[in-house]
């Protein structure tokens, strides 16, 4: 009897309590609804140790209050993120899609576009617009349902069913990823048209909130990775005895599985997009955009003079594709595009070889340089520490067909192939960067060599 009276006293205390600063975000009506919900959640007889009498029930209410508050904040953060994502997709539709459709209705633009476009790509632009619209519609419905739950927020509220419904519609992303390489080739065709570049420039000029065109193409690629983390936060703020806990655990596992399954596809889309971005960022770039070309690595490296390793050379930007390696320098033209890179050359990867820098080079480069100053005492001479040197040596084969000369006269009937070995020593900033480049280059060299062998 004493135990039951203690429970009744605790419940009456909850029902009669009129205000708690933890729930300042709720209206009076919602707050009283929350108090009623607190009496439903869990079985206080099983969850509380009544040897502590009134202290443990108060602690239980405090834990529930804290979890409800933190879960509410996580929901607000998710709604804010969804709203921003939907607004940005709407900006793409309003800022670019409408203007592009009107632009293509002009006969000259339509004819020029179709002449440059590869065969079979006529509907690719419409596919892009339709898939972005499908993704936006899916997230708008999801965000609408989240806001409806927010209006009725309380400890007994569910979220796993809404997240599970979002998961069931993720095929829209898979369709977008499967068409991505075609979209990139189509966009490359558009960027080669001066009238298209003027159009997208006018779109960003008219509305300061509209971002550059490719920003919106990146959005779906990076979106899916956020949901498993968000659901993980919701699980942390949900009591294991709550009916929604098991549902959240299941939907979290579903999102984790699909993120892992799409990880390679998303990585492929990123490297595919990078080919397009760098092709139009590098002046006179010889590596064009294709369905199969991917950009693997890019960084600033310093070429080491093998004969005079202590001479400091200017750094260059090296860009590794799945079928080519090029290097670039800063553009010397004083224009609005002076931040662009300028193509300088390419290194043949077929039958190339790679190894770490030889000890002779690393030792001579890491030794401190002798100072030209004269010190009268050894104590005043500064101690210069040795700097570790990281990098690799790439040996490539350059094949040139040259005509043979006979006593100074050209003999056109005799042509021979001259194979020249060239060594390139490249310095990296760290051991981690050295290992990354060597590992990626080895696999790329093997792939390029196999393709060249099959070709001949």
């Amino acid at each position: 009897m004493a135990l039951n009276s203690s429970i009744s006293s605790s419940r009456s205390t909850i029902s009669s309590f009129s205000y708690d600063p933890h729930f300042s975000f709720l209206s009076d009506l919602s707050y009283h609804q929350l108090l009623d919900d607190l009496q439903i959640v869990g079985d206080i007889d099983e969850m509380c140790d009544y040897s502590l009498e009134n202290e443990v029930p108060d602690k239980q209410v405090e834990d529930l209050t804290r979890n409800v508050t933190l879960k509410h904040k996580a929901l607000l953060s998710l709604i804010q993120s969804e709203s921003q994502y939907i607004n940005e997709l709407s900006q793409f539709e309003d800022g670019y899609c409408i203007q592009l459709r009107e632009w293509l209705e002009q006969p000259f633009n339509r004819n020029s576009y179709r002449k440059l476009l590869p065969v079979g790509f006529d509907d690719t632009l419409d596919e892009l617009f339709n898939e972005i619209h499908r993704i936006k519609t899916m997230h708008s419905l999801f965000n609408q349902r989240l806001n409806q739950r927010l209006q009725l927020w309380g400890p007994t509220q569910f979220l796993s069913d809404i997240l599970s419904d979002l998961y069931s519609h993720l095929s829209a992303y898979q369709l977008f990823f499967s068409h991505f390489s075609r979209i990139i080739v189509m966009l490359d065709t558009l960027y080669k048209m001066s009238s298209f570049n003027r159009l997208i420039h006018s779109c960003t000029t008219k509305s300061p909130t509209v971002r550059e065109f490719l920003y919106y193409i990146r959005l779906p690629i990076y979106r899916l990775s956020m949901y498993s983390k968000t659901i993980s936060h919701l699980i942390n703020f949900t009591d294991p005895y709550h009916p929604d806990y098991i549902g959240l655990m299941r939907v979290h596992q579903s999102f984790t599985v699909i993120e892992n399954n799409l990880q390679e596809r998303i990585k492929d889309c990123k490297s595919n997009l990078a080919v397009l971005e760098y092709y139009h960022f590098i002046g006179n770039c010889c590596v064009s955009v294709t369905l199969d070309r991917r950009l693997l690595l890019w960084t600033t490296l310093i070429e080491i003079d093998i004969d005079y390793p202590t001479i400091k050379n200017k750094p260059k930007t090296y860009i590794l594709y799945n079928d080519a390696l090029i290097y670039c320098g800063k553009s010397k033209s004083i224009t609005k595009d002076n931040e662009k890179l300028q193509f300088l050359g390419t290194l043949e990867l077929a039958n190339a070889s790679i190894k770490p820098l030889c000890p002779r080079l690393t030792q001579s480069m890491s030794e401190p340089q002798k100072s030209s100053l004269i010190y009268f005492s050894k104590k005043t001479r500064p101690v210069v520490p040795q700097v570790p040197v990281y990098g690799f040596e790439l040996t490539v084969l350059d094949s040139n067909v040259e005509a043979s000369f006979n006593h100074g006269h050209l003999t056109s009937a005799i042509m021979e192939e001259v194979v020249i070995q060239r060594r390139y020593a490249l310095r990296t900033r760290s051991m981690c960067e050295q290992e990354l480049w060597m590992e990626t280059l080895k696999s790329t060299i093997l792939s390029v060599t196999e393709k060249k062998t099959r070709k001949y």
Side-chain angles (χ1 to χ4, degrees), residues 1 68 86 100 123 137 147 185 207 213 258 355 406 454:
M1 292 295 292
V68 171
I86 295 165
L100 263 174
D123 299 328
T137 302
N147 278 284
V185 173
S207 177
F213 190 86
I258 196 170
K355 63 180 182 180
N406 185 13
R454 288 197 302 266

Side-chain angles (χ1 to χ4, degrees), residues 78-79 81-87 89 131-147 162 165-167 169-170 172-173 219-220 223-224 226-227 255:
L78 176 58
I79 291 175
S81 176
E82 287 294 310
S83 299
Q84 181 180 352
Y85 183 51
I86 295 165
N87 288 337
L89 294 179
E131 288 165 13
I132 292 292
H133 181 74
R134 190 180 298 112
I135 291 173
K136 191 196 82 169
T137 302
M138 176 185 69
H139 283 274
S140 297
L141 180 59
F142 173 62
N143 198 39
Q144 181 182 352
R145 296 185 66 186
L146 288 177
N147 278 284
I162 306 178
D165 185 65
L166 174 67
Y167 171 80
H169 290 86
L170 292 183
Y173 280 92
L219 286 178
R223 186 63 189 177
L224 287 182
M226 66 155 290
Y227 289 105
F255 271 96

Side-chain angles (χ1 to χ4, degrees), residues 304-305 307-313 361 364-367 369:
I304 303 169
D305 190 320
D307 297 323
Y308 304 97
T310 57
I311 296 178
K312 295 182 179 180
N313 295 319
L361 286 177
S364 60
M365 293 180 67
S366 60
E367 289 179 353
Q369 300 296 311

Side-chain angles (χ1 to χ4, degrees), residues 1 55 219 286 323 426 428 456:
M1 292 295 292
E55 293 183 8
L219 286 178
C286 67
D323 58 355
L426 301 173
T428 62
Y456 294 102

Side-chain angles (χ1 to χ4, degrees), residues 260-276:
N260 292 336
N261 292 340
L262 292 175
Q263 187 175 5
E264 287 300 320
R265 176 63 66 84
I266 292 173
K267 181 180 178 182
D268 183 74
C269 290
K270 291 178 181 178
S271 61
N272 194 185
L273 177 60
V275 176
L276 173 65

Side-chain angles (χ1 to χ4, degrees), residues 347-360:
L347 302 181
E348 176 62 45
L349 293 180
N351 299 306
S353 61
I354 186 171
K355 63 180 182 180
L357 292 176
C358 65
R360 180 184 65 82

Side-chain angles (χ1 to χ4, degrees), residues 33 71 100 148 163 168 194 207 213 216 267 303 330 402 404 417 424 441 451:
Q33 177 65 42
K71 195 172 181 180
L100 263 174
Q148 290 173 352
L163 291 163
S168 66
S194 58
S207 177
F213 190 86
Y216 300 100
K267 181 180 178 182
E303 184 178 351
K330 290 184 178 180
E402 296 183 352
S404 296
E417 184 179 21
Y424 296 88
L441 269 170
K451 289 180 180 178

Side-chain angles (χ1 to χ4, degrees), residues 23-57:
F23 296 96
S24 58
F25 55 85
L26 296 176
S27 63
D28 291 340
L29 180 61
S30 300
Y31 180 72
H32 287 296
Q33 177 65 42
L34 183 145
L35 293 180
D36 293 337
D37 290 338
L38 283 174
Q39 297 180 13
I40 300 173
V41 179
D43 188 343
I44 300 181
D45 292 335
E46 296 179 359
M47 296 175 62
C48 298
D49 182 6
Y50 291 103
S51 61
L52 299 177
E53 295 182 354
N54 293 332
E55 293 183 8
V56 175

